[in-house]
Amino acid sequence: MTTMQLELPMAPLRQPEPAGPDEARSIQERFEAFHELNPWILDHLEALTADCVTRGLSRVGIGMLFEVLRWQYGRATLGEPWRLNNNFRSRYVRRMLERHPEWVSLFEIRALREAIK
């Protein structure tokens, strides 16, 4: 089996500005801002998922995909600060399923909770 190695972006990643006390944003709002600044993350998560499908996996965990992405990115850019917020996992799965409805059986989807700001 062939393992797919993605080319990671060479431009420095920009992180969204943290919400100040006067402008507390929801997780969804923070996700949208982060995704706008880092659209390549969705592409890489999709490529990792497609690789899992090719390997014959019937279930895929977004946590595993996040950790693989963190590992790949960390190897490619030593010394660069970067964070991939775990609160965005469910948003990335939903975004992937919008684009790839054939993957609906791969991921477990739960109701969104907006308790954490």
Side-chain angles (χ1 to χ4, degrees):
M1 264 186 249
T2 308
T3 302
M4 185 180 189
Q5 178 63 42
L6 300 172
E7 183 177 326
L8 298 170
M10 301 321 274
L13 295 179
R14 298 175 298 156
Q15 294 291 322
E17 294 296 320
D22 296 334
E23 59 176 46
R25 297 178 292 169
S26 69
I27 294 171
Q28 186 64 36
E29 291 167 331
R30 293 190 333 242
F31 167 74
E32 294 297 341
F34 181 81
H35 177 63
E36 184 177 327
L37 294 173
N38 303 284
W40 65 270
I41 292 173
L42 180 60
D43 296 333
H44 287 276
L45 289 171
E46 288 176 331
L48 290 169
T49 302
D51 188 44
C52 290
V53 170
T54 300
R55 293 169 181 263
L57 296 177
S58 59
R59 300 289 287 170
V60 177
I62 188 65
M64 176 196 66
L65 299 178
F66 260 43
E67 295 307 323
V68 169
L69 187 59
R70 284 178 174 135
W71 179 77
Q72 287 178 340
Y73 187 82
R75 281 183 48 205
T77 59
L78 296 175
E80 291 290 324
W82 183 65
R83 288 180 50 205
L84 187 54
N85 192 331
N86 286 338
N87 290 338
F88 299 159
R89 290 177 175 190
S90 63
R91 271 62 177 185
Y92 276 114
V93 169
R94 284 169 171 77
R95 190 66 57 94
M96 283 194 294
L97 294 180
E98 287 173 5
R99 293 167 52 156
H100 301 277
E102 70 275 14
W103 291 347
V104 72
S105 64
L106 293 175
F107 295 96
E108 179 181 340
I109 304 295
R110 298 179 185 169
L112 289 175
R113 295 182 308 178
E114 193 58 44
I116 302 172
K117 290 220 180 204

